[in-house]
Amino acid sequence: MYVPDRPRFRPTWLASGRSTTPSWLTDERWLPAGNRELYARASGGLYAALGRLDPPSGPALLPAYVPRAVVRAFRSREYEIAYYPVTADLTLPAAAVAERIEALEPAAVVFVDYFGFRDEALPALAERARAVGATVVEDCARGAFSRDPDGEPLGSTGDLAIYSLHKTLPVPNGGLVVARDIDLPAPDGSVPERRDVLTSGVDGALSRLGIPPAALVGCSGPERAAATVGGGPDRSDERFRIRRPGRATIRGLHRCDPARIQSRRLDAYRDLRRLVGRVDGVDLLTPTAHEGACPFGLAISGPGREWRDALYRKLRRAGVPIKVFQWPPLSPAAASDGAQRLRNCACVVPTHRAFPPAARRRLTRALERVPGD
């Protein structure tokens, strides 16, 4: 058995012939109102949008648990970087974040809607940020088609909303930016996608044969070095190329039905949460899903890093999808206790498809048998 860990583009879709973007990209039922632009990658779109803002008069204030590409986009636009803490349960410590906003008076503040959920403290914190003149960037990378608890499309709180469509939809590329008050630059050229299409074809063949890639190439667990402070090369001086996705991505976007995807992800998430919630010793990090949510996955954590890595290896070898987001800090200032625990102990079970009975059994068996620290 092998369930891929992300939605899969099907090479046969290339024959559809559609070359324009789908209508849901301009539908305010699914995306916030504002100026929209589709880029190859969300990081390139963020870099493009930041170039339309005034030169920074203060730092960019980011959560301590944040993807490196976000940090690099700001650094490449000459922002100094500061951080606010994140708790180990993926929530915002509102008082501490507000204190950082008041003390630093940042030019921009980034809030991450972790795995498709908006924190309840975000609206009030966004207003505090605007009160000191900051641009509010809402990172909805894994939140396409999700709604916040107020019923608004995820991303409606920010002045800029950033979506990584290729992380939640069956497309090779796709970074969407929605801006309230600025005109976004058009992409320059498109990215090649032939290799992505070939990879997707191979992944589909393995899925049909029930052969997990880990059975062919092995699985040693998440890369440990990446979770250390400054782990891996720092490419903060790189210049992002502002390009559009290729035709394979456009064909894939046309295959996406927002209502169907949202409903299926919500059902899969609720089912997973009930299933995993019955296992002792596992902490559920992402909340109970409200109506309208479109969760990327169920975030969980356990006793420690050895537990998380052992679970990762077991599930990968069993062909059950699991993701680890270590997002290593580029500065000691980003190594807060809560963020470090998330890097070391958390993992996410994706919800892009319902788990077949065999996958459910393997998931619960792995959770019950992985020893604690």
Side-chain angles (χ1 to χ4, degrees):
M1 185 195 72
Y2 168 48
V3 180
D5 63 5
R6 57 178 292 177
R8 185 174 61 84
F9 176 83
R10 286 159 175 74
T12 55
W13 294 349
L14 286 170
S16 70
R18 293 178 174 176
S19 58
T20 58
T21 54
S23 60
W24 58 258
L25 277 173
T26 57
D27 190 338
E28 293 180 11
R29 291 177 300 172
W30 300 108
L31 295 167
N35 301 317
R36 300 178 177 89
E37 193 65 62
L38 183 64
Y39 300 95
R41 293 283 163 162
S43 56
L46 174 59
Y47 173 80
L50 293 176
R52 292 298 175 94
L53 301 178
D54 293 334
S57 58
L61 183 59
L62 278 57
Y65 187 55
V66 67
R68 281 186 165 192
V70 175
V71 181
R72 289 173 178 149
F74 278 96
R75 283 187 174 177
S76 294
R77 288 299 188 187
E78 308 300 328
Y79 283 80
E80 295 294 326
I81 306 297
Y83 296 93
Y84 61 80
V86 175
T87 61
D89 63 359
L90 279 177
T91 59
L92 292 173
V97 178
E99 182 179 320
R100 292 288 282 167
I101 292 171
E102 297 293 336
L104 296 175
E105 296 189 354
V109 182
V110 175
F111 297 100
V112 179
D113 295 327
Y114 291 111
F115 310 119
F117 291 97
R118 191 202 74 185
D119 192 280
E120 62 181 12
L122 175 53
L125 290 172
E127 289 308 309
R128 279 184 175 256
R130 292 191 183 99
V132 300
T135 297
V136 175
V137 179
E138 191 171 354
D139 183 340
C140 321
R142 294 170 175 82
F145 306 153
S146 195
R147 296 184 182 277
D148 62 30
D150 299 323
E152 297 297 324
L154 210 66
S156 298
T157 307
D159 302 309
L160 292 173
I162 315 295
Y163 305 83
S164 292
L165 300 180
H166 67 98
K167 295 174 181 174
T168 59
L169 303 178
V171 291
N173 291 288
L176 178 68
V177 178
V178 182
R180 283 190 180 187
D181 300 315
I182 62 172
D183 292 326
L184 297 167
D188 180 19
S190 61
V191 295
E193 295 183 332
R194 180 177 298 178
R195 179 179 295 180
D196 300 298
V197 172
L198 291 174
T199 300
S200 182
V202 171
D203 206 41
L206 292 175
S207 179
R208 289 190 295 273
L209 293 170
I211 303 174
L216 301 176
V217 299
C219 177
S220 59
E223 178 55 52
R224 284 182 171 270
T228 61
V229 176
D234 179 3
R235 303 184 183 90
S236 58
D237 61 344
E238 72 182 10
R239 289 296 176 261
F240 292 88
R241 298 188 65 181
I242 305 173
R243 297 189 291 177
R244 67 177 63 88
R247 67 188 185 99
T249 292
I250 301 301
R251 304 291 199 276
L253 292 176
H254 274 283
R255 294 282 178 162
C256 297
D257 179 339
R260 185 182 183 191
I261 290 171
Q262 184 273 327
S263 175
R264 287 189 170 187
R265 277 193 178 269
L266 179 58
D267 289 345
Y269 179 84
R270 286 173 168 170
D271 184 52
L272 269 176
R273 206 170 191 279
R274 284 192 296 268
L275 184 70
V276 177
R278 294 196 289 263
V279 180
D280 292 336
V282 179
D283 296 323
L284 306 179
L285 302 182
T286 41
T288 301
H290 53 271
E291 287 300 323
C294 185
F296 171 83
L298 176 67
I300 62 176
S301 69
R305 187 170 186 163
E306 295 298 329
W307 178 92
R308 194 274 311 277
D309 290 358
L311 177 66
Y312 179 88
R313 289 191 295 269
K314 279 181 176 290
L315 292 181
R316 295 283 289 187
R317 290 167 181 162
V320 178
I322 183 171
K323 306 282 283 186
V324 168
F325 299 95
Q326 296 186 104
W327 293 338
L330 290 174
S331 162
S336 68
D337 290 345
Q340 286 298 89
R341 178 162 178 80
L342 289 168
R343 293 181 181 107
N344 291 332
C345 304
C347 54
V348 180
V349 184
T351 57
H352 60 280
R353 57 180 287 184
F355 273 34
R360 291 166 57 92
R361 289 193 296 271
R362 293 183 185 190
L363 173 61
T364 53
R365 191 181 305 128
L367 288 168
E368 291 167 349
R369 295 182 181 180
V370 172
D373 279 358

